[in-house]
Amino acid sequence: MEAEQYGKWMAGAQGYMTHTRSMPTTTIRSGPRTPFKRKVFRDASKRTLWSGYPGKIDENAASAVADFIIVDMFANYCTERTSLDDAVKGAERQAKRIYR
């Protein structure tokens, strides 16, 4: 993807989904002025890892993200629906089902 097109894509996405490994961060910085609410995404690749890390970016990783395994694990614990151990075990069970 060309740098100019990528800048338009990032602006349109408003940070909803950041493919931080697909283009260098200098491409994002060289684009038009970034509004304050999206500045956090400008340097995202410096502090994030891809879905499925340290494994491959594949259908299994996408399924784990789409099923909100990590989000649900935190939500279940934070809302006191389950204990910490039960929340982790539930997430592990879901992940094992996807990655079998």
Side-chain angles (χ1 to χ4, degrees), residues 61-72:
S63 292
V65 171
D67 288 349
F68 297 101
I69 292 175
I70 301 297
V71 174
D72 287 345

Side-chain angles (χ1 to χ4, degrees), residues 32-81:
R33 188 167 180 258
T34 305
F36 178 75
K37 66 182 179 180
R38 291 193 300 241
K39 284 189 179 188
V40 67
F41 301 107
R42 183 187 64 195
D43 299 324
S45 64
K46 291 181 181 178
R47 61 183 180 276
T48 61
L49 302 170
W50 61 87
S51 299
Y53 180 86
K56 298 183 291 185
I57 301 173
D58 60 6
E59 187 177 328
N60 293 334
S63 292
V65 171
D67 288 349
F68 297 101
I69 292 175
I70 301 297
V71 174
D72 287 345
M73 178 183 68
F74 279 104
N76 288 334
Y77 175 68
C78 292
T79 59
E80 299 178 351
R81 288 183 62 199

Side-chain angles (χ1 to χ4, degrees), residues 4-16:
E4 183 179 319
Q5 292 172 325
Y6 189 75
K8 290 178 183 177
W9 181 83
M10 280 295 292
Q14 303 225 2
Y16 175 73

